[in-house]
Amino acid sequence: MIILGIDTSCDDTCVAVLKDGTEILSSVVSSQVSVHSLFGGIVPELASRKHVELIDAIYEQALREAGIVVRDVDVLAVTQGPGLIGSLLVGLCFAKGLALATGKPLVGINHVEAHGMSIFLEQRVPFPFIALVVSGGHTVILLFEETCRFRVLGSTCDDAAGEAFDKVAKFLGLGYPGGRIIEEGASGGRADAVAFPRPIIDEPNYDFSFSGLKTSFINYIGKNGFPAERSADILSSFQEAACDVLVKKTMKAAKDLGVSRIVVGGGVAANGRLRSLFAERAANQGITVHVPSPSLCMDNGAMIAVTAGCYAERGAFSPLDIKAYSRLAFGG
Ligand code: KG4
Ligand code: ZN
């Protein structure tokens, strides 16, 4: 079975071709970073205009690199939500148009579910598992009970973790997106140099809050400055505070629910400290942690296609009048 996966939920135009569930024949991701970095963050109107300009060429490139023509595609998969509505609509309309023109079945996919399922492109993790999906737009803990069935256990009350990295980098004038820049700047620094807060870390829920951490960082810099000789310590302490909360709450969910597997996905899952902290803390707890390769943590069309494969196997296709939705609550 050949599945074409399309994602335009945020600022990347992504199209991938997947064969037999997990073999990536092509995965094209066209980044808009150069457009949005001028503004230190994503400008939704510019993102949707860029998707309109690019989607057809990216689709053609994905077919070409996979060595197929559209006739060879069995299923069309597209992100329905959550995300920026204007951006989502570009991919959704494109996929619906293709479905109408070719008669191929369509599957509308939840972007957050797809981040949780992206690990299946590299390994088959038995159900049930806890998933932490952590990116610039989302910070969510989910329970995946079986294929095509998941439950949201908790999410951020304010900023997403990646957004906190991005805003801190923007505040320091370090560039966009901030996650990788902060990780690089933190390298070699002492993680306990500054005691940044870990908001709601001990509350008996699976929710997060990152805006207080960001504000506390900004206040700290306001008082103490950002001297070059202390920059690695300060960034490392910020990174540690964010990772500590993410790991602790996810581990708590796994222990409370008696689930022995954790999957991590989303752009922040590319962070080396987050990955190593999960590995350290899970080691003696009988919990295994599964994190995809960094390129599969970021937005991509292959994760949409791999998730669609599970729905297609059950014959769970979508009608052509499916709508885009901006928030996770409307997606399941
Ligand atoms: O999943 P993604 O590509 O797009 C969204 O759905 O948001 O994630 C992008 C986010 C950005 O906020 C970026 O700063 C963050 O992931 N990110 C990182 C790292 N690489 C990307 N955050 C921390 N450390 C990293 N190495
Ligand atoms: Zn994403």
Side-chain angles (χ1 to χ4, degrees):
M1 176 155 56
I2 302 253
I3 303 181
L4 184 91
I6 301 173
D7 183 274
T8 59
S9 60
C10 195
D11 60 334
D12 292 326
T13 315
C14 314
V15 183
V17 176
L18 202 66
K19 186 180 170 194
D20 297 337
T22 56
E23 189 189 341
I24 300 173
L25 296 185
S26 67
S27 180
V28 185
V29 177
S30 175
S31 164
Q32 301 181 3
V33 162
S34 59
V35 176
H36 300 288
S37 58
L38 298 172
F39 304 93
I42 295 164
V43 183
E45 173 64 23
L46 293 182
S48 39
R49 280 195 225 174
K50 259 301 180 224
H51 285 309
V52 171
E53 278 173 29
L54 291 169
I55 185 80
D56 194 42
I58 300 299
Y59 157 75
E60 293 289 350
Q61 188 181 339
L63 290 182
R64 204 168 47 245
E65 286 183 11
I68 62 163
V69 292
V70 69
R71 252 196 330 276
D72 302 322
V73 173
D74 297 298
V75 175
L76 300 163
V78 64
T79 301
Q80 209 183 326
L84 302 171
I85 282 292
S87 290
L88 287 164
L89 283 172
V90 178
L92 198 56
C93 291
F94 188 84
K96 285 181 184 181
L98 267 182
L100 202 59
T102 61
K104 312 272 181 195
L106 179 74
V107 190
I109 292 295
N110 181 308
H111 182 84
V112 171
E113 178 183 8
H115 271 303
M117 291 295 291
S118 59
I119 190 72
F120 281 69
L121 292 162
E122 295 182 325
Q123 50 177 291
R124 188 153 277 274
V125 180
F127 291 89
F129 58 82
I130 296 289
L132 169 69
V133 173
V134 59
S135 70
H138 313 284
T139 303
V140 192
I141 298 180
L142 310 122
L143 169 66
F144 279 75
E145 292 157 313
E146 55 176 279
T147 29
C148 312
R149 214 171 84 208
F150 67 93
R151 206 148 53 82
V152 176
L153 302 178
S155 62
T156 181
C157 310
D158 39 57
D159 291 352
E163 197 178 348
F165 276 88
D166 294 340
K167 286 180 175 170
V168 159
K170 182 179 180 183
F171 170 74
L172 294 172
L174 296 178
Y176 170 83
R180 203 160 47 86
I181 299 171
I182 291 200
E183 181 175 8
E184 282 166 11
S187 168
R190 275 182 39 225
D192 60 353
V194 185
F196 286 121
R198 274 82 165 143
I200 68 173
I201 191 167
D202 291 319
E203 283 188 16
N205 56 36
Y206 310 114
D207 293 330
F208 299 99
S209 167
F210 288 101
S211 78
L213 170 61
K214 173 198 66 193
T215 307
S216 148
F217 182 91
I218 291 172
N219 290 342
Y220 180 88
I221 300 296
K223 262 197 213 136
N224 302 281
F226 190 59
E229 67 280 8
R230 293 197 59 238
S231 67
D233 284 351
I234 296 170
L235 292 180
S236 177
S237 300
F238 167 80
Q239 174 175 261
E240 193 71 10
C243 293
D244 188 14
V245 186
L246 292 168
V247 173
K248 189 154 182 197
K249 287 257 168 154
T250 311
M251 294 285 293
K252 173 178 161 52
K255 281 188 215 154
D256 289 354
L257 276 77
V259 174
S260 63
R261 286 168 290 269
I262 290 174
V263 161
V264 192
V268 183
N271 183 280
R273 181 59 188 145
L274 183 67
R275 296 163 89 96
S276 64
L277 207 55
F278 261 120
E280 276 169 31
R281 297 215 184 139
N284 305 318
Q285 307 275 338
I287 292 175
T288 54
V289 180
H290 310 262
V291 195
S293 305
S295 66
L296 294 177
C297 292
M298 311 294 180
D299 288 349
N300 63 83
M303 71 182 194
I304 305 305
V306 76
T307 311
C310 303
Y311 285 89
E313 254 174 37
R314 300 173 164 217
F317 297 107
S318 305
L320 281 187
D321 62 353
I322 52 170
K323 300 200 169 26
Y325 50 84
S326 61
R327 300 173 73 86
L328 181 62
F330 297 105

